[in-house]
Amino acid sequence: MSSSGIEPESPDLVCQLDNVQGVVDALTSVRWKKQQHAVLELSEHGIVLIVEETACLQAKVYLQRELFVKYEYSAEGRPRFGVSLGLFVDCLNTFSVQGHSSAIEIRYPGPDMQLLLKSVESSDSCTYAEIRTRIPDTISWDYNFEPAGSTPLSFTVKSAALKEAIDDLEWPGSSIYLILQPSPPSVTFRGEGHGDLQIDFMCHANTDLLVAFHCDRQVSHRYKYKFLRATTSNIPSSVIRDNRGSKLTIGRGGMLKVQHLVSVAKPAIPHPHVDSSGYQQPSRIAYIEFFVKPEVDDADNANDT
Amino acid sequence: MEFTLSGNALKTFTRSITCLARIGNELAIQASSTKLTFHTLNSSRSAYLSITFKPGFFDVYTVFGPQMQCSVLLKAICSVLRTPIASIDHLTVLLPNPDASKVQWTLNCHNGMKKAYWITCDVEPHIQNLSLDRTKLPSNFVLRPRDLNRLFSNFQTTLQEITIIATNPTCLPPDAATEIGGKAVELRSYIDPTKENDSALHTQLWIDPTEEFVQYNHIGSPVDVTFGVKESKAFLSFCEGCEVDIQFYFDKAGEPILVVPKFGLDDGSNSTFDATLMLATMLMSQLYTASSSENPQVVGTSYGQANDGRQAPVQERSKGNSGLTSDQTRIWSDLSEQKVAMVLNMEEKEMRTIMSKGNFSKLVRCIYLKLEQLEEICLTFIMTFVVLTKILWNNLKAWYIWMVMLLNTILVTGWMQMMMMMKEMSQSCVFNQHLHIIRNTTAQVVL
């Protein structure tokens, strides 16, 4: 909802990105289906993209204003609009050309409420794109993630290991239990289908597989495999390579929150603050959050799908 | 039963599972205090692979009770071993008691992850234990896996069966030695005439065993064995990975062959694992046309039932043979015919006798078939007549009804006879498409 009336046309948002590929990587990680509708919400802090699947799984991508080279926000309130996620990502992909600087400018809204994209810094050619937006008809359910109790139930595990474990859990072909135990501190994924598979992450002193483990009592929740898989199936390879940690938190009612960090910095330019472990300034990182609803037994909940 | 392994033993173990998975679907496991045996049989029952591990192969090896056995699906084990071997620290397999319904496979990875798989197993394995005494197979040869790979690469990758013809290099008459160049072994592609493959590539390869083989022992008359390529290639990859030479033991066409790895100078007694592949061979010899036109016997030794696919077409195949030569290869056929004649040391009239014997049995068979057909025709005629009589019983007073019935009967019988003829013709066309070549070459020995 942009400014109404006959005010002078100043777009709600004009921002410039210097590395499109990073944003494409971040957005690709929330593409788990071919046809997905995303809702973009603009604010003075940055852009948030929300993708949802039938009230069972929701993903959010946070692109803060520090990621952008230029960020001019001049709207009242927070405009929200819907785009087709696949279309948006494919469109951004056309701007990222190997070897050339892929800086683009994003502008909203256009004359007909479109999202406008334009390439900058290219002297001999200009690429220009318009994407139609729509009014988001379903109010995106804010998953109001509440902590499960006084102490948080969370742990951080290496992204590569998490992805490997979830890929292996396809074999049993069943729902997956996630069990946290305080002593000895361990995280267990278990599937019981035509065969049983149990994957344990141990909190050893010598391996840094499992860090930041917080748990004071044993908890166990069940999740549908396809939603759990969606949280890691499209993680960009840069995340796997850097092998940062992904944080998993269990909230009230068994809601699972999975957080990833995707680097959107340009890989070629040596960043003055990058040290040997690949740490980068927080401003060059996009945050991805997945919310997965647990599976409840049909006997308890009649509305369960 | 419980065992644990890691490091190089784990690599060999994984290689064994891969080889077993390429041959059969089900893995039978037998554990005793002296050894652990994995074996599988392929679906057409023409290949049997058995791999044995001694307790020294494992880091830990325990058997609860004198002997335990179970069988699992190889697909499930391949899913377990999908994790890259480099990231596995050690693997543990546990079958807690003989009646357990699941066998537990646990992978402990370097990065701290522990993956435990419970695979359903069948306590009564359906695969029986087969064995073949290699001392009963008189001929053998040994070669390096990469050399065998190179020989196989000369053939079409889609080739299903291959024939190896082994001759005795020492009984060549001295004047023939230069012509043939000492190439005493021939590899030939085998094309099944019952299948539609007009565009198949036929390949013949003559090799000198002293150059290609590490060892070659064959005395007596030439023999040929035809066996499956897919299983051989699977075993070849296994031997290549284990870096051992591969040894073939064989007798003659129809008898199964044995393929084993040949461990180095210490003759295998120090090795902690061993493998044996038994392959069924074609009953029909490619060298001699006088073979069983009667009911073919089941493959002799303790092997078990022979391949159905290989038994059935033997009758029809006695008509035709692999005399499928084109002009380009005629020179080679002439050359090898000479060589075989000399090597066989037979008179020409002896060969002709064999030919005529083959023809005689063919004649008898044709007459038998014709009698069968005649019987069928008569039966059809009578049945149609009876059916029509029943239908038109009330109207039989009128004379024209009899005419109609007769015409109908003739038509139906004629139609059925035509169907049978067409079926017969289509079969014989496949077999006899090169009948003219066979007639021309019956005077020579057909190779």
Side-chain angles (χ1 to χ4, degrees):
Chain A
M1 288 145 2
S2 61
S3 36
S4 56
I6 1 167
E7 287 161 10
E9 295 289 333
S10 92
D12 291 343
L13 173 65
V14 178
C15 58
Q16 257 194 34
L17 263 179
D18 63 344
N19 183 26
V20 182
Q21 189 57 42
V23 173
V24 167
D25 284 344
L27 296 179
T28 310
S29 56
V30 298
R31 280 183 86 173
W32 62 81
K33 256 165 62 167
K34 285 233 160 61
Q35 300 289 342
Q36 281 172 290
H37 297 300
V39 172
L40 267 87
E41 191 174 291
L42 311 175
S43 71
E44 66 266 20
H45 303 295
I47 301 177
V48 180
L49 183 134
I50 305 163
V51 187
E52 197 177 323
E53 173 155 348
T54 55
C56 301
L57 175 64
Q58 187 186 75
K60 283 185 177 168
V61 181
Y62 295 91
L63 305 166
Q64 316 115 284
R65 68 183 300 154
E66 287 82 11
L67 293 175
F68 299 91
V69 170
K70 188 174 90 171
Y71 194 89
E72 289 166 10
Y73 185 77
S74 54
E76 296 162 9
R78 295 183 167 196
R80 297 171 87 234
F81 57 90
V83 287
S84 159
L85 179 64
L87 199 64
F88 186 37
V89 174
D90 291 342
C91 186
L92 284 173
N93 236 338
T94 60
F95 284 90
S96 80
V97 179
Q98 285 282 41
H100 293 285
S101 73
S102 53
I104 65 167
E105 182 192 272
I106 302 177
R107 191 181 281 254
Y108 178 82
D112 198 13
M113 303 297 283
Q114 316 100 311
L115 189 64
L116 304 172
L117 302 143
K118 190 170 76 172
S119 71
V120 295
E121 278 186 55
S122 182
S123 53
D124 44 0
S125 64
C126 175
T127 315
Y128 176 80
E130 275 180 27
I131 303 179
R132 289 211 166 280
T133 64
R134 59 192 103 167
I135 302 167
D137 39 16
T138 51
I139 307 278
S140 171
W141 178 25
D142 195 10
Y143 269 53
N144 203 11
F145 188 82
E146 292 162 25
S150 51
T151 49
L153 290 165
S154 72
F155 62 94
T156 305
V157 67
K158 292 274 183 208
S159 309
L162 180 68
K163 183 172 160 72
E164 188 187 323
I166 294 186
D167 285 345
D168 287 338
L169 284 162
E170 185 178 5
W171 178 71
S174 70
S175 303
I176 307 294
Y177 282 91
L178 173 57
I179 305 155
L180 265 67
Q181 273 174 324
S183 59
S186 73
V187 174
T188 304
F189 288 92
R190 193 182 166 95
E192 287 166 7
H194 61 258
D196 302 343
L197 170 57
Q198 179 168 317
I199 299 186
D200 297 299
F201 293 90
M202 307 297 210
C203 221
H204 289 306
N206 51 351
T207 65
D208 50 358
L209 178 71
L210 195 60
V211 296
F213 181 82
H214 300 287
C215 169
D216 58 348
R217 62 191 185 283
Q218 175 162 343
V219 283
S220 158
H221 293 285
R222 203 169 87 225
Y223 304 95
K224 245 197 164 82
Y225 177 70
K226 68 175 182 182
F227 298 139
L228 207 57
R229 193 194 170 84
T231 65
T232 56
S233 57
N234 284 321
I235 294 183
S237 51
S238 58
V239 173
I240 305 291
R241 250 193 337 260
D242 297 342
N243 212 8
R244 295 165 197 274
S246 295
K247 183 167 171 190
L248 282 84
T249 314
I250 299 186
R252 184 174 300 180
M255 175 91 68
L256 177 69
K257 179 165 89 169
V258 182
Q259 285 170 296
H260 300 298
L261 307 170
V262 177
S263 159
V264 298
K266 257 188 186 164
I269 295 178
H271 202 278
H273 296 277
V274 172
D275 61 19
S276 59
S277 70
Y279 171 77
Q280 292 174 353
Q281 277 194 334
S283 59
R284 309 298 291 167
I285 295 181
Y287 294 91
I288 317 241
E289 279 179 359
F290 287 89
F291 297 95
V292 187
K293 256 181 131 176
E295 250 188 353
V296 185
D297 289 328
D298 288 341
D300 299 343
N301 192 353
N303 321 349
D304 197 18
T305 44
Chain B
M1 162 197 76
E2 180 180 355
F3 61 84
T4 305
L5 65 164
S6 58
N8 278 331
L10 182 59
K11 290 199 188 113
T12 308
F13 188 79
T14 311
R15 234 176 275 126
S16 315
I17 298 288
T18 316
C19 185
L20 286 157
R22 277 169 78 171
I23 295 193
N25 294 327
E26 205 181 311
L27 174 70
I29 304 176
Q30 277 179 334
S32 73
S33 52
T34 51
K35 61 182 177 163
L36 174 71
T37 310
F38 284 179
H39 49 260
T40 187
L41 187 64
N42 75 345
S43 49
S44 52
R45 306 176 72 85
S46 60
Y48 170 82
L49 174 62
S50 159
I51 302 187
T52 312
F53 303 97
K54 294 208 192 118
F57 184 77
F58 305 100
D59 298 340
V60 171
Y61 181 74
T62 336
V63 183
F64 318 127
Q67 204 182 32
M68 301 184 92
Q69 57 184 24
C70 68
S71 76
V72 289
L73 283 178
L74 275 160
K75 221 166 58 154
I77 306 189
C78 290
S79 308
V80 173
L81 295 172
R82 248 177 37 182
T83 313
I85 305 298
S87 60
I88 302 180
D89 184 51
H90 60 271
L91 160 71
T92 306
V93 178
L94 168 67
L95 183 67
N97 56 67
D99 308 321
S101 59
K102 292 192 197 229
V103 56
Q104 181 184 349
W105 295 62
T106 310
L107 297 167
N108 287 282
C109 301
H110 288 299
N111 60 6
M113 267 167 63
K114 187 170 100 157
K115 305 183 190 180
Y117 292 77
W118 281 268
I119 304 176
T120 37
C121 65
D122 207 353
V123 186
E124 294 290 324
H126 303 296
I127 304 174
Q128 66 269 45
N129 217 342
L130 303 171
S131 67
L132 189 60
D133 188 1
R134 60 186 76 176
T135 55
K136 295 214 168 65
L137 300 169
S139 317
N140 67 76
F141 60 87
V142 180
L143 73 165
R144 281 182 285 268
R146 64 167 188 269
D147 292 336
L148 185 58
N149 233 342
R150 191 166 36 83
L151 293 175
F152 274 153
S153 67
N154 289 300
F155 295 82
Q156 238 183 343
T157 44
T158 51
L159 186 68
Q160 296 192 344
E161 276 130 4
I162 193 168
T163 308
I164 295 189
I165 300 173
T167 63
N168 192 345
T170 55
C171 83
L172 288 171
D175 53 328
T178 47
E179 273 180 31
I180 299 155
K183 294 197 182 340
V185 175
E186 180 187 342
L187 276 79
R188 190 193 294 184
S189 57
Y190 176 79
I191 308 292
D192 193 345
T194 57
K195 299 201 182 126
E196 295 283 324
N197 40 24
D198 301 307
S199 57
L201 178 69
H202 299 261
T203 313
Q204 285 173 298
L205 185 63
W206 283 262
I207 54 177
D208 182 0
T210 53
E211 283 173 8
E212 303 285 339
F213 296 160
V214 171
Q215 203 185 83
Y216 178 69
N217 295 318
H218 175 72
I219 50 175
S221 45
V223 297
D224 68 293
V225 285
T226 308
F227 54 90
V229 172
K230 181 178 115 159
E231 291 86 13
S232 314
K233 281 189 178 167
F235 197 72
L236 167 63
S237 311
F238 173 70
C239 290
E240 206 170 9
C242 298
E243 293 171 1
V244 290
D245 291 346
I246 186 168
Q247 181 162 22
F248 286 74
Y249 288 91
F250 57 99
D251 185 5
K252 58 181 195 289
E255 301 295 318
I257 67 171
L258 201 64
V259 191
V260 294
K262 185 160 176 75
F263 299 97
L265 298 166
D266 51 10
D267 83 343
S269 56
N270 292 340
S271 164
T272 46
F273 71 96
D274 196 8
T276 315
L277 175 67
M278 285 194 338
L279 293 170
T281 62
M282 289 277 180
L283 289 161
M284 180 73 191
S285 166
Q286 305 303 307
L287 282 177
Y288 310 106
T289 53
S291 70
S292 52
S293 55
E294 319 307 325
N295 203 7
Q297 301 301 321
V298 165
V299 171
T301 62
S302 57
Y303 184 71
Q305 303 127 26
N307 180 8
D308 291 344
R310 293 210 173 101
Q311 263 193 348
V314 168
Q315 295 280 21
E316 283 77 40
R317 223 177 273 135
S318 58
K319 283 192 211 141
N321 211 321
S322 49
L324 303 159
T325 54
S326 74
D327 284 334
Q328 274 74 27
T329 57
R330 189 170 306 214
I331 298 171
W332 288 109
S333 299
D334 291 345
L335 195 59
S336 40
E337 169 240 328
Q338 254 184 320
K339 166 199 88 171
V340 173
M342 286 187 267
V343 168
L344 289 180
N345 235 354
M346 287 163 82
E347 309 289 335
E348 207 173 326
K349 68 167 183 212
E350 260 189 77
M351 292 194 278
R352 284 220 201 92
T353 325
I354 292 171
M355 290 304 113
S356 52
K357 269 200 200 134
N359 282 339
F360 181 65
S361 57
K362 275 186 250 169
L363 188 61
V364 164
R365 206 183 137 264
C366 284
I367 292 174
Y368 182 67
L369 273 180
K370 283 286 178 284
L371 279 173
E372 271 188 343
Q373 283 175 12
L374 201 57
E375 199 184 345
E376 281 192 51
I377 296 166
C378 290
L379 271 173
T380 319
F381 196 90
I382 293 169
M383 289 272 307
T384 321
F385 199 77
V386 166
V387 165
L388 280 176
T389 312
K390 279 212 79 161
I391 294 172
L392 300 172
W393 186 246
N394 296 332
N395 300 338
L396 278 177
K397 298 290 174 1
W399 64 270
Y400 52 84
I401 295 295
W402 291 96
M403 288 294 297
V404 166
M405 265 175 54
L406 192 64
L407 278 172
N408 264 326
T409 316
I410 293 172
L411 272 173
V412 169
T413 317
W415 175 67
M416 289 215 48
Q417 164 72 331
M418 209 170 65
M419 297 284 287
M420 282 189 327
M421 253 178 52
M422 272 171 49
K423 210 169 72 164
E424 178 82 24
M425 249 174 47
S426 65
Q427 277 187 354
S428 61
C429 269
V430 172
F431 297 144
N432 292 333
Q433 58 191 336
H434 298 281
L435 199 54
H436 59 286
I437 297 177
I438 291 167
R439 288 220 190 88
N440 290 339
T441 57
T442 43
Q444 322 165 17
V445 172
V446 179
L447 300 172

